[in-house]
């Protein structure tokens, strides 16, 4: 197997710069038109350690989905993805976007710790459990948060902080990245990659997770989504995998902006279930 071909999504999708530009334009418009938004809420000391929360109403009482962006832990910004809130907002569900520091300035383990800190801060701000969602590297982080035993991280945090989540084209096993060019910044060795791969983790009882993936993605991304769901189901997790027909690694994110999509319906179902 050529891991570089399987995992280098920018090479697989040559028009990705135009997709990123479209996302940025739509995201700026979304922030400008938001009914209510809390932008740049800090959860840590660094300039990237922020939360942007886009609300469907000024009362700020909606259920909340925490979104974690992709970029192989080494690129992009949460404000590139604000557009993705459109689907959930149409159903009365808020979406919060978390930033984090990037490799090679910090290792993947630090990024995971920051994602957990963002979730704890958001929980304390809104006072209710969260649904987590993430794309690509953010899909990895979403699965990791969905599998976290929260009281082991913070004794003042309830175990049901994140009872459910949804990954989009996630990299749930990190070892295949070791021989690729992406690992120049990540600097993963086999031991660290295994330790940080949520596909092999125990998962607390009662959690649920959906793994979505673009139908036009590489065989490895399709495998990772379906293998995660199968592995976690064997551990008692309510886990499912879904292909998004015709979507590549980047256009699959556009599904979040469609209020009628299966992906959005699943997020809304999860969010409403934990807000009852």
């Amino acid at each position: 197997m050529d891991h570089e071909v399987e995992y280098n999504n920018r090479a697989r999708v040559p028009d990705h710069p135009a997709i990123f530009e479209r996302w940025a334009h739509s995201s700026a418009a979304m922030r400008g038109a938001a009914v209510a938004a809390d932008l740049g809420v800090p959860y840590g000391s660094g300039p990237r350690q922020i939360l942007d929360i886009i609300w469907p109403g000024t009362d700020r009482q909606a259920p909340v989905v925490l979104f974690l962006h992709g970029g192989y832990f080494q690129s992009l910004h949460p404000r590139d993805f604000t557009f993705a809130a459109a689907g959930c907002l149409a159903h009365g569900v808020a979406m919060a976007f978390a930033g984090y520091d990037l490799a090679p300035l910090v290792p993947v383990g630090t990024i995971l710790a920051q994602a957990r800190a963002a979730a704890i801060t958001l929980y304390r701000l809104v006072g209710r459990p969260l649904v987590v969602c993430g794309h690509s590297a953010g899909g990895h982080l979403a699965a990791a948060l969905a599998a976290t035993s929260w009281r082991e991280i913070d004794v003042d945090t309830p175990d049901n902080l994140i009872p459910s989540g949804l990954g989009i084209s996630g990299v749930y096993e990190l070892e295949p990245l070791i021989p690729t060019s992406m690992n120049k910044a990540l600097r993963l060795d086999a031991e660290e990659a295994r330790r940080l791969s949520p596909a092999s983790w125990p998962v607390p009882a009662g959690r649920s997770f959906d793994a979505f993936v673009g139908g036009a993605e590489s065989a490895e991304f399709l495998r990772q989504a379906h293998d995660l769901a199968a592995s976690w189901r064997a551990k008692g997790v309510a886990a499912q995998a879904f292909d998004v027909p015709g979507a590549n690694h980047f256009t699959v994110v556009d599904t979040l902006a469609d209020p009628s999509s299966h992906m959005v319906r699943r997020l809304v179902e999860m969010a409403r279930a934990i807000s009852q």
Side-chain angles (χ1 to χ4, degrees), residues 43-224:
Y43 71 83
S45 59
R48 291 186 61 93
Q49 294 171 48
I50 60 167
L51 290 158
D52 284 349
I53 312 170
I54 312 298
W55 297 96
T58 56
D59 64 1
R60 289 169 166 78
Q61 295 303 306
V64 181
V65 172
L66 170 62
F67 181 85
L68 298 154
H69 70 84
Y72 271 130
F73 308 102
Q74 57 197 278
S75 67
L76 301 178
H77 190 276
R79 290 189 181 166
D80 296 327
F81 293 88
T82 319
F83 77 93
C88 283
L89 290 176
H91 294 279
V93 174
M95 187 168 280
F97 298 84
Y100 49 80
D101 293 332
L102 301 175
L105 295 179
V106 299
V108 175
T110 297
I111 294 170
L112 173 54
Q114 290 181 0
R116 285 171 168 157
I120 292 170
T121 297
L122 182 60
Y123 168 78
R124 290 176 177 162
L125 282 171
V126 303
R128 49 196 179 274
L130 312 168
V131 174
V132 68
C133 176
H135 170 243
S136 196
H140 166 280
L141 296 172
L145 268 58
T148 293
S149 296
W150 289 99
R151 287 192 184 275
E152 296 178 8
I153 305 298
D154 186 312
V155 295
D156 296 322
T157 301
D159 271 335
N160 71 337
L161 190 156
I162 294 178
S164 55
L166 188 152
I168 306 167
S169 306
V171 186
Y172 310 110
E173 305 164 27
L174 295 180
E175 282 188 88
L177 298 182
I178 292 174
T180 71
S181 61
M182 284 69 76
N183 200 38
K184 292 177 182 177
L186 302 179
R187 295 178 290 194
L188 292 166
D189 59 24
E191 181 180 358
E192 184 75 347
R194 285 193 294 271
R195 184 179 74 84
L196 293 172
S197 293
S200 62
W201 292 1
V203 184
R207 305 288 171 89
S208 64
F209 195 82
D210 286 0
F212 280 77
V213 63
E217 297 201 53
S218 71
E220 271 293 275
F221 272 92
L222 288 159
R223 179 193 68 77
Q224 288 234 11

Side-chain angles (χ1 to χ4, degrees), residues 236-269:
V237 179
Q240 308 174 83
F242 301 101
D243 297 356
V244 179
N248 64 40
H249 188 75
F250 302 110
T251 57
V252 68
V253 185
D254 295 330
T255 312
L256 281 175
D258 178 2
S260 67
S261 71
H262 181 207
M263 187 186 296
V264 169
R265 292 198 307 271
R266 287 294 297 139
L267 278 176
V268 171
E269 288 170 5

